[in-house]
Amino acid sequence: MQDGSVNDLLQASKIQDWDPSAMLNNLSFLGQKIHQLQDLVYLIIGRKGQVLGRPDELLVQQQQLVTADLTSIIVQLISTAGSLLPSVKQTLSAATTSLGQCGEFGGVVFPSSAQGLNDGVQPQNAGGSKVSEPPNSVDITSNNGNEQSNHIIEEHELKDEEDAEEGENLLPGTYEILQLEKEEILAPHTHFCTICGKGFKRDANLRMHMRGHGDEYKTPGALAKPTKESSSEPTIIKRYSCPYAGCKRNKDHKKFQPLKTILCVKNHYKRTHCDKSYICSRCNTKKFSVIADLKTHEKHCGKDKWLCSCGTTFSRKDKLFGHITLFQGHTPAIPSDEIKAAPAGTSDGATNKVGSVNFNLSYVSSESEVQSSSMDIKGGIDDAVGYFSPLSFDTCNFGGFHEFPRPPFDDSESSFAFLLSRSCNYSQKSGEE
Amino acid sequence: MLSFQSSKNVLSLTEDLLVRIYELLAAESDRKSFRLVCREFRRIDTLTRRHLRVIRIEFLPILLRKYPRLQSLDLSACPHIDDGVVSLLLTRVGPGSNSPILGHWAWGLKSLVLSRATGLRFSGLEMLARACPCLESVDVSYCCGFGDREAAALSSAVGLRELNMDKCLQLTDVGLAKIAVGCSKLEKLSLKWCMEMTDLGIDLLCKKCVDLKYLDVSYLKVTNESLHSIASLLKLEVLGLMACPLIDDVGLQFIERGCPSLKVIDVSRCEGVSSSGLIFVVRGHRNLLELNAGYCLSELSTALLHQMKNLNHLEVIRIDGARISETSFQVISANCKSLVEIGLSKCLGVTNMGIMRLVSACINLRVLNLTCCHSITDAAISAIAYSCRSLVCLKVESCNMITEKGLCQLGSFCLLLEEIDLTDCCGVNDKGLEYLSRCSELSCLKLGLCTNISNKGLSYIGFNCLKIHELDLYRCTGIGDDGLEALSNGCKKLRKLNLSYCNEVSDRGLGYIGRLEELSDLEMRALHKITGVGLEAVAVGCKRLADLDMKHCEKVGDSGFWALAYYSKNLRQINLSYCGISDMALCMVMGNLSRLQEAKLVHLSNCTVEGVELALRACCVRIKKVKLFAPLRFMLSSEILEILHARGCIIRWD
């Protein structure tokens, strides 16, 4: 099928995108994590027997902690592999299911890691028809309303953040310029939970997540922005530079314009320097490199009912009218399906209906001139014969009225006129004023 | 042309001289007489005729073939024109081999009136727009089916300068955009009652059609945004904003700074507009000629009055419904010396003194509307008559204190008076009419509810006012047959007559009415004395009768209706409610009258359901509007209702 071929194409392009250094980065990160876990297990072994009261409880806690860390590592591993190797895709769904179960078993839910994993998978899906039912991620995320709402917030904030500081005029040197590496920018998460290892794009989301790990994280102090606390001392303003050489957002550019936040860096980098690999499944034309952009587009895709004669579509009437104002000769296009439907509904339909109730529309006239022209007309276009004439009754089956004799074709105006004596010579020529 | 010997008569005139003579004939009736003289004259008529108003569509092909040089075609009286007719007219006009080239008549056509042509759709309009390359003016008002596709079809007429789209209910911004882009030379556009229109459409229009001189957006739900766009039109002279509920003073502020050529503005019945809005308009446009602010001012404020001092060229002002003080009149008369028309209908505070001050300086006043200014007396009328010698129209409805003294002054000084509305002025009597009859130019006289006038008074009018074409005698119970006799002897030009509730009128009176050959509009409700004989006389005599209202004429029998069915071929509207018409006669009337468009048929006590059904079937191809007795909705066959619906006929159930 077509879907399959599209997928193949995407996968092929994905393989080309495979970046060994990014892979190395991820793997070293995982290595660190495994070492951390190793240390923890050593610690547990070392403490064994030293603790006196309530050993069972501690054991359970330790077990949970280890399981959580392990699951986190597995998720990261699969995520890394999944985002780079398309062939893994088929096995992924199975893995996620087991993961979900695993997470529940361990008493900790991992919706966002699954989400992150799903993000990695979606490029392959986007071209196909499956986007409407993302495999398992939906089931998993719906377990956790809190996390879902966070995700939505994220989506909204993503938009135009890149341009938000466009008007900002910071003097060079008054701020610190940070430049993230490409790998860092493209890494799915930057904030990780120290308890369960779940990754987040933002610290705020992490803090919200932490609330689930116990009451100590619910205090206003724990929830507040850590930087706010240290706001008493003057902080250096941080601005970011794009690692892409030659970009206006790169610190080496002549007219360098810094980016405000890491998120801006990420979105800027993806939008400007990455392939637009997310294709809208509805229109199959619009491409995006940031998934949130795709989702925003999909909300409105197909609603572009405002069409210009040049073929451009608009979701809003005022946008179309603005376009028409701008371009000479462009006009709004009227949908063609309406045009097709219309002629059948109007005069033709009416004529048919009239015809169906035993009315005989015929063109009759006393004036020879009219008569001759009418004959001509009859010969010409059948359809229009009835238009000039008042009707004459042909067959009427109403009770009490069937005694009306049928008129011969001699009367100019109506079949009833013959009943009246034609004593008055009413001129019928006054067809004009 | 003719031989030398037979000179010295009209027939010896050369063709070009005859053409010149023909072109001097203004009245249509005169031209008719001209073409009836002889074949040669008729030939001149066919060669020179530029305008044609077709009344019966069946003659359209012949007429179009006969008049090859038409520039203006009016089809508003043929509402059942549709796409089929148009294609027929454009493909082949006239029979046989010697027929002119296809659609030749359309080549020179500049003006096309298609008002109320509800059957015409986009395909027909497209054919017309393509076939008429010189088209400059199109009227598609009241074509309820006219929508965006029709507008798109019409937009191919690129030379269009004038377009009237009043009450094209289906039209939206998209259609208007089509027109605006396609017909960028538009100078005059009317969009009244195009209810779907929004600011977007108006904005685009103002950007694309920069030559607009006349724009009417009355009754639209457009906001101040539209006024902002309109203000950019440099050539705009006339702006109609009547009853635009969303427009307010802020919008008029844009007009103050824009529209440098503005001459006429109408903001009447705009709920949001107040004095301060008008101050903006007046301040920005010193050369304003016409200001219509009826029913949007509660009071003519001093601030506004102060600004109005600068309007030295103002010719027309209407401030209906506002409160106005005597000093205001003083200011107006002192500054607006070129005032020609003032409308003070239902204004509070209009006194004799105020009017006297007004007319003391505004001696050029030609139109004065004092409807419902109850405190006006003969003194004011005398002052008006004495100062404004060129008065043409005076409306003093329901000014009860006017008596024969005032009318005497009018009859003595205002000899140019053409229209006077004395409805509900119970001070008017026979003597007053005698004085008034001295105004021999009088063409429109309204005497409704003047119960003190009798046949004697009417006879003065009939004797002296020979140019009257509209007369309203509603509930003038003193009027009888003798009055009508006098009327029919003198007022041969009468076109519109209201005799409702003049109980004394009998068949003899209607016999006199039958002598009025020009009569086209007759309302004679509840004349209990008249019978079929009277109606027959009217039907036979008034050949141009187009609108007949005879509700509650219960004694009229079938013979009258039969005559109506046979003779009144030009009848377009009829009200037969509460008449004693029988099934048979109803069928005759509805079936035979080939131009009938609207009929009111409620409470026909002598008619059966079958009769009404048959009558409807007899007229279903042409009827546009019918009012029926509500219970019939379920008694008539669904078939006929469907046919009527499909034909675009509107049924009102009563």
Side-chain angles (χ1 to χ4, degrees):
Chain A
M1 289 297 283
Q2 212 176 358
D3 287 354
S5 63
V6 173
N7 273 342
D8 287 347
L9 273 172
L10 283 168
Q11 283 165 10
S13 71
K14 211 57 217 176
I15 289 163
Q16 281 170 358
D17 282 350
W18 186 63
D19 186 31
S21 62
M23 176 61 107
L24 188 66
N25 192 279
N26 284 346
L27 286 177
S28 60
F29 178 78
L30 279 169
Q32 272 182 356
K33 276 248 156 190
I34 288 170
H35 280 299
Q36 278 174 11
L37 190 62
Q38 217 171 2
D39 291 343
L40 186 70
V41 177
Y42 273 130
L43 201 73
I44 293 166
I45 293 165
R47 276 189 194 173
K48 218 168 198 175
Q50 289 175 16
V51 182
L52 295 169
R54 311 178 78 175
D56 284 7
E57 203 179 313
L58 187 73
L59 201 68
V60 171
Q61 275 184 2
Q62 283 168 351
Q63 198 188 344
Q64 276 181 5
L65 208 61
V66 174
T67 324
D69 270 4
L70 270 173
T71 329
S72 154
I73 289 163
I74 294 166
V75 169
Q76 284 293 317
L77 189 64
I78 292 171
S79 167
T80 316
S83 64
L84 299 169
L85 301 171
S87 53
V88 187
K89 184 194 141 200
Q90 275 76 19
T91 56
L92 270 177
S93 52
T96 6
T97 341
S98 61
L99 269 176
Q101 285 164 353
C102 171
E104 270 166 47
F105 178 75
V108 189
V109 190
F110 308 96
S112 188
S113 2
Q115 184 68 41
L117 173 134
N118 192 39
D119 283 356
V121 174
Q122 213 141 8
Q124 280 92 25
N125 259 348
S129 58
K130 276 196 168 180
V131 158
S132 52
E133 37 140 357
N136 296 311
S137 61
V138 168
D139 300 352
I140 296 164
T141 45
S142 63
N143 287 341
N144 195 335
N146 180 26
E147 177 54 36
Q148 226 176 12
S149 65
N150 281 347
H151 193 81
I152 290 164
I153 291 164
E154 211 168 68
E155 247 182 54
H156 281 289
E157 285 172 356
L158 274 170
K159 280 161 224 160
D160 297 325
E161 223 165 313
E162 194 184 318
D163 306 320
E165 56 20 298
E166 199 74 71
E168 190 183 55
N169 276 321
L170 285 172
L171 289 170
T174 57
Y175 53 91
E176 185 189 357
I177 299 169
L178 300 174
Q179 181 168 301
L180 282 78
E181 285 313 304
K182 188 186 171 191
E183 292 71 35
E184 283 179 282
I185 291 169
L186 292 177
H189 299 136
T190 47
H191 304 276
F192 292 93
C193 174
T194 49
I195 297 172
C196 65
K198 185 174 182 302
F200 293 92
K201 288 175 183 169
R202 291 149 193 251
D203 188 48
N205 293 355
L206 173 62
R207 273 178 277 131
M208 294 300 271
H209 160 85
M210 293 307 283
R211 294 183 305 176
H213 287 307
D215 286 339
E216 67 266 36
Y217 298 109
K218 289 181 183 169
T219 61
L223 284 169
K225 238 182 189 174
T227 49
K228 281 277 161 85
E229 289 163 14
S230 58
S231 62
S232 53
E233 55 198 67
T235 49
I236 300 165
I237 303 165
K238 284 179 190 169
R239 287 293 178 267
Y240 298 86
S241 158
C242 169
Y244 196 90
C247 173
K248 203 181 179 184
R249 305 292 193 174
N250 185 271
K251 57 189 173 189
D252 298 330
H253 193 273
K254 271 185 222 164
K255 295 178 181 174
F256 170 57
Q257 282 187 321
L259 292 152
K260 217 172 187 177
T261 65
I262 296 177
L263 204 66
C264 293
V265 177
K266 287 190 166 199
N267 283 335
H268 161 77
Y269 194 82
K270 284 184 195 164
R271 282 178 185 146
T272 327
H273 308 301
C274 290
D275 281 347
K276 295 185 174 183
S277 47
Y278 304 106
I279 301 176
C280 173
S281 58
R282 291 198 209 176
C283 61
N284 271 324
T285 49
K286 288 265 185 184
K287 292 179 182 177
F288 304 91
S289 50
V290 177
I291 193 146
D293 292 355
L294 170 71
K295 285 179 180 170
T296 314
H297 162 78
E298 278 182 333
K299 271 182 210 160
H300 304 287
C301 184
K303 287 179 192 167
D304 289 357
K305 53 179 180 169
W306 299 104
L307 180 70
C308 178
S309 55
C310 68
T312 321
T313 55
F314 299 88
S315 59
R316 280 164 53 181
K317 192 167 148 191
D318 53 337
K319 299 289 174 197
L320 168 67
F321 274 67
H323 168 87
I324 288 164
T325 314
L326 220 57
F327 294 95
Q328 202 130 37
H330 289 208
T331 60
I334 296 162
S336 56
D337 53 339
E338 279 179 48
I339 292 172
K340 271 179 228 158
T346 53
S347 56
D348 290 3
T351 335
N352 290 342
K353 273 185 184 168
V354 172
S356 69
V357 284
N358 298 336
F359 274 93
N360 186 16
L361 296 166
S362 58
Y363 190 91
V364 279
S365 173
S366 63
E367 247 191 334
S368 60
E369 222 176 352
V370 183
Q371 190 104 46
S372 55
S373 76
S374 83
M375 298 318 281
D376 206 337
I377 288 160
K378 265 185 184 172
I381 297 164
D382 293 350
D383 191 25
V385 165
Y387 287 112
F388 285 127
S389 66
L391 80 163
S392 62
F393 282 82
D394 199 18
T395 47
C396 291
N397 309 321
F398 305 106
F401 284 98
H402 54 265
E403 69 266 25
F404 273 124
R406 281 177 58 177
F409 282 91
D410 62 349
D411 177 54
S412 64
E413 288 302 318
S414 156
S415 53
F416 286 127
F418 73 97
L419 289 169
L420 294 155
S421 62
R422 310 201 59 153
S423 55
C424 171
N425 237 343
Y426 174 71
S427 167
Q428 304 210 329
K429 281 198 170 183
S430 59
E432 52 197 270
E433 238 178 43
Chain B
M1 298 191 65
L2 293 176
S3 63
F4 185 72
Q5 285 84 2
S6 68
S7 59
K8 303 291 183 281
N9 73 34
V10 275
L11 292 174
S12 65
L13 294 171
T14 58
E15 187 176 286
D16 60 322
L17 282 175
L18 280 175
V19 167
R20 283 196 181 186
I21 293 168
Y22 176 84
E23 279 167 352
L24 289 173
L25 298 174
E28 194 48 55
S29 55
D30 294 340
R31 292 194 167 190
K32 192 172 181 177
S33 311
F34 179 89
R35 67 172 166 266
L36 290 175
V37 171
C38 64
R39 274 176 186 278
E40 177 62 12
F41 277 39
R42 192 183 151 125
R43 198 178 65 81
I44 296 295
D45 173 64
T46 58
L47 282 178
T48 346
R49 189 159 182 158
R50 298 274 186 270
H51 174 78
L52 182 67
R53 180 168 188 263
V54 183
I55 289 181
R56 291 212 231 154
I57 198 168
E58 57 266 35
F59 296 114
L60 189 54
I62 312 159
L63 291 170
L64 289 179
R65 191 160 51 86
K66 235 165 80 175
Y67 298 110
R69 300 202 180 163
L70 280 183
Q71 286 185 350
S72 157
L73 180 61
D74 185 348
L75 296 173
S76 58
C78 311
H80 22 272
I81 190 165
D82 56 28
D83 296 349
V85 177
V86 169
S87 83
L88 204 64
L89 291 173
L90 288 172
T91 46
R92 189 174 296 182
V93 171
S97 55
N98 59 349
S99 72
I101 312 158
L102 305 182
H104 181 69
W105 58 272
W107 288 4
L109 211 60
K110 285 185 177 169
S111 161
L112 192 55
V113 180
L114 297 167
S115 186
R116 291 173 210 280
T118 40
L120 209 55
R121 286 287 181 267
F122 65 97
S123 57
L125 280 166
E126 196 164 3
M127 281 187 273
L128 277 173
R130 287 212 183 121
C132 309
C134 304
L135 211 54
E136 283 180 2
S137 163
V138 173
D139 183 348
V140 287
S141 54
Y142 301 96
C143 294
C144 298
F146 189 96
D148 293 342
R149 269 175 288 124
E150 284 72 24
L154 200 58
S155 70
S156 53
V158 288
L160 219 55
R161 289 178 196 278
E162 290 183 19
L163 181 56
N164 186 346
M165 300 201 283
D166 291 352
K167 212 150 195 175
C168 291
L169 295 172
Q170 316 268 322
L171 191 73
T172 71
D173 292 335
V174 173
L176 183 62
K178 284 275 186 195
I179 297 280
V181 174
C183 318
S184 54
K185 292 178 186 165
L186 267 186
E187 287 174 8
K188 185 173 175 182
L189 179 64
S190 184
L191 295 169
K192 272 183 207 159
W193 293 293
C194 295
M195 302 310 279
E196 301 291 316
M197 214 57 71
T198 70
D199 294 335
L200 283 175
I202 303 295
D203 181 56
L204 187 76
L205 176 77
C206 295
K207 283 178 179 144
K208 295 285 180 186
C209 302
V210 289
D211 291 335
L212 272 178
K213 287 181 182 161
Y214 177 109
L215 179 62
D216 195 338
V217 293
S218 298
Y219 303 96
L220 302 194
K221 299 263 190 306
V222 293
T223 68
N224 294 334
E225 285 291 307
S226 284
L227 287 183
H228 186 248
S229 317
I230 289 169
S232 67
L233 291 171
L234 298 177
K235 297 183 183 173
L236 194 72
E237 290 173 7
V238 183
L239 177 59
L241 299 170
M242 196 195 288
C244 292
L246 304 179
I247 279 173
D248 58 30
D249 299 342
V250 180
L252 293 180
Q253 217 167 350
F254 297 127
I255 299 294
E256 179 192 357
R257 288 178 225 125
C259 300
S261 316
L262 197 68
K263 298 267 184 292
V264 178
I265 188 165
D266 185 346
V267 289
S268 53
R269 287 189 274 146
C270 288
E271 292 159 22
V273 170
S274 73
S275 287
S276 50
L278 285 174
I279 289 171
F280 293 136
V281 173
V282 172
R283 199 161 59 195
H285 302 281
R286 297 280 162 91
N287 294 322
L288 213 59
L289 294 182
E290 185 172 338
L291 175 65
N292 195 340
Y295 304 107
C296 69
L297 291 177
S298 58
E299 191 179 12
L300 192 65
S301 66
T302 45
L304 176 57
L305 211 58
H306 183 72
Q307 288 295 333
M308 280 174 61
K309 281 180 183 171
N310 299 315
L311 297 176
N312 297 321
H313 303 282
L314 196 70
E315 288 178 359
V316 178
I317 183 168
R318 297 191 196 100
I319 46 167
D320 303 350
R323 177 177 290 280
I324 184 165
S325 65
E326 279 178 16
T327 49
S328 311
F329 287 114
Q330 183 79 54
V331 175
I332 292 174
S333 72
N335 295 289
C336 310
K337 291 218 161 64
S338 43
L339 217 54
V340 167
E341 176 177 347
I342 185 162
L344 300 167
S345 169
K346 302 203 180 186
C347 279
L348 300 170
V350 178
T351 58
N352 284 338
M353 189 52 78
I355 294 295
M356 283 173 193
R357 284 181 177 176
L358 178 75
V359 297
S360 63
C362 297
I363 52 169
N364 296 319
L365 271 180
R366 286 159 58 85
V367 180
L368 187 55
N369 187 350
L370 296 170
T371 301
C372 296
C373 295
H374 301 288
S375 46
I376 292 296
T377 70
D378 288 331
I381 300 295
S382 302
I384 292 166
Y386 191 74
S387 303
C388 312
R389 301 291 173 96
S390 48
L391 198 70
V392 169
C393 173
L394 178 66
K395 292 184 180 177
V396 285
E397 179 183 339
S398 167
C399 294
N400 281 315
M401 288 189 270
I402 294 173
T403 67
E404 71 256 29
K405 281 181 199 160
L407 298 179
C408 178
Q409 297 293 315
L410 282 175
S412 306
F413 300 111
C414 299
L415 297 178
L416 297 175
L417 200 65
E418 287 175 17
E419 182 177 353
I420 185 163
D421 186 348
L422 293 165
T423 305
D424 207 8
C425 294
C426 45
V428 176
N429 55 20
D430 290 342
K431 195 72 186 160
L433 288 185
E434 186 182 359
Y435 293 131
L436 193 64
S437 70
R438 286 187 236 154
C439 303
S440 56
E441 294 294 315
L442 215 55
S443 67
C444 177
L445 176 60
K446 291 187 178 169
L447 297 168
L449 296 159
C450 292
T451 43
N452 293 327
I453 59 167
S454 71
N455 293 329
K456 196 178 161 200
L458 200 57
S459 64
Y460 294 123
I461 299 293
F463 198 71
N464 295 314
C465 305
L466 306 182
K467 293 187 177 174
I468 282 209
H469 63 74
E470 180 174 353
L471 180 62
D472 185 353
L473 297 170
Y474 176 81
R475 284 192 200 268
C476 290
T477 42
I479 298 295
D481 297 339
D482 295 333
L484 295 180
E485 182 179 12
L487 197 69
S488 67
N489 285 333
C491 308
K492 292 287 184 193
K493 302 273 182 194
L494 207 61
R495 291 203 294 264
K496 194 169 178 184
L497 178 63
N498 192 336
L499 288 175
S500 294
Y501 304 97
C502 295
N503 299 323
E504 298 301 312
V505 174
S506 72
D507 286 342
R508 186 167 68 89
L510 287 192
Y512 300 127
I513 299 296
R515 294 188 202 162
L516 301 168
E517 291 190 0
E518 301 275 318
L519 197 70
S520 68
D521 216 322
L522 178 61
E523 190 180 317
M524 45 177 215
R525 288 187 178 183
L527 299 188
H528 297 299
K529 287 188 179 174
I530 65 161
T531 67
V533 180
L535 184 58
E536 189 173 347
V538 170
V540 172
C542 308
K543 290 199 175 76
R544 286 178 172 268
L545 200 63
D547 191 342
L548 177 65
D549 188 335
M550 45 184 300
K551 190 177 175 180
H552 278 297
C553 288
E554 279 138 12
K555 282 206 185 135
V556 176
D558 273 6
S559 65
F561 292 113
W562 281 54
L564 198 69
Y566 188 70
Y567 294 107
S568 297
K569 295 287 184 187
N570 288 315
L571 211 59
R572 266 174 283 178
Q573 292 185 34
I574 193 165
N575 188 348
L576 295 175
S577 300
Y578 298 93
C579 284
I581 192 169
S582 73
D583 283 344
M584 188 72 134
L586 185 66
C587 291
M588 300 297 299
V589 168
M590 301 297 282
N592 236 26
L593 298 177
S594 59
R595 290 188 55 211
L596 201 64
Q597 289 172 25
E598 188 180 334
K600 290 178 181 163
L601 308 170
V602 290
H603 297 286
L604 304 178
S605 50
N606 289 348
C607 276
T608 62
V609 179
E610 289 81 11
V612 175
E613 166 117 15
L614 185 57
L616 289 175
R617 287 191 181 239
C619 65
C620 63
V621 288
R622 56 178 169 265
I623 198 96
K624 290 283 166 192
K625 208 168 170 184
V626 65
K627 186 173 168 185
L628 295 169
F629 189 45
L632 282 179
R633 184 196 286 248
F634 308 103
M635 290 146 99
L636 292 171
S637 72
S638 56
E639 228 174 10
I640 183 66
L641 297 181
E642 275 170 28
I643 296 168
L644 288 172
H645 181 72
R647 277 272 162 190
C649 173
I650 299 160
I651 307 178
R652 208 176 116 197
W653 301 100
D654 189 55

